[in-house]
Amino acid sequence: MTDSEDELDAPAGDAVCSEFSLAVLPDDFSAPDFHLSVLVADDHPTHRRCAQAIFEALGCHVFLAVSGAAALHACSLRRFDVVVMDRHMPDGHGDEAVRRLRRREGKVRRTFVACCSSDPPRDLSAGYDVLAPKPLTVAAAADLLRRVAALAPPEPAPGEPRS
């Protein structure tokens, strides 16, 4: 992680889990390199690090937030393609953070993922696009990223203006 990512990550005292990496074999998935920016908002350090390892193994640039409020702040500083939001966190319920982020969005919509181990939403009316139950698996993350990539507008050719 770079210095600019530190403000989105857990406080130093929260880093009690060991770091690990995850290898995704090209044979396992047809498109393992997605090049998407992903914000993972979860109050549990192990859940954050596991999601980070999965999304990084799939070629994503991952940022971490420890609460709904931290996710709101991160989204005010940077544009993310995907926001994976734990629904139940201190300092701002995940559902409320997604509602606020949806109200702030302009023309280009990002994908919001409701991530929860219990109490899945009856509907996604808070503004979520999809539900991803915990624990997040590589297969579920790859499927999610394939859907996001399919919805994204194509990148302009070098030298062409962005619309």
Side-chain angles (χ1 to χ4, degrees):
M1 289 191 303
T2 65
D3 291 337
S4 64
E5 294 171 15
D6 290 345
E7 65 190 65
L8 305 180
D9 206 340
D14 199 21
V16 294
C17 61
S18 60
E19 298 229 1
F20 59 93
S21 63
L22 177 70
V24 177
L25 301 175
D27 294 348
D28 293 340
F29 302 99
S30 59
D33 203 7
F34 290 97
H35 300 291
L36 297 171
S37 63
V38 177
L39 174 65
V40 176
D42 197 308
D43 62 315
H44 196 284
T46 301
H47 293 166
R48 282 193 308 273
R49 295 297 183 196
C50 287
Q52 178 181 21
I54 289 169
F55 286 117
E56 284 179 350
L58 293 169
C60 295
H61 190 69
V62 181
F63 293 81
L64 304 174
V66 298
S67 66
L72 287 167
H73 179 70
C75 288
S76 71
L77 299 175
R78 174 181 195 96
R79 169 93 176 102
F80 297 99
D81 299 306
V82 180
V83 176
V84 179
M85 183 75 69
D86 181 6
R87 293 188 63 231
H88 303 288
M89 293 184 289
D91 193 23
H93 190 276
D95 289 352
E96 181 56 29
V98 168
R99 282 185 195 97
R100 289 181 186 184
L101 289 167
R102 280 289 188 217
R103 285 193 298 263
R104 288 187 199 170
E105 275 188 326
K107 286 180 158 181
V108 180
R109 286 178 48 104
R110 68 187 103 209
T111 300
F112 286 97
V113 180
C115 200
C116 52
S117 53
S118 62
D119 188 27
R122 292 188 192 345
D123 62 51
L124 302 175
S125 64
Y128 296 107
D129 297 294
V130 67
L131 172 66
K134 287 182 188 176
L136 185 64
T137 64
V138 174
D143 286 343
L144 166 72
L145 294 175
R146 275 191 205 94
R147 287 197 282 176
V148 171
L151 296 173
E155 286 291 316
E160 285 185 32
R162 291 184 177 266
S163 54

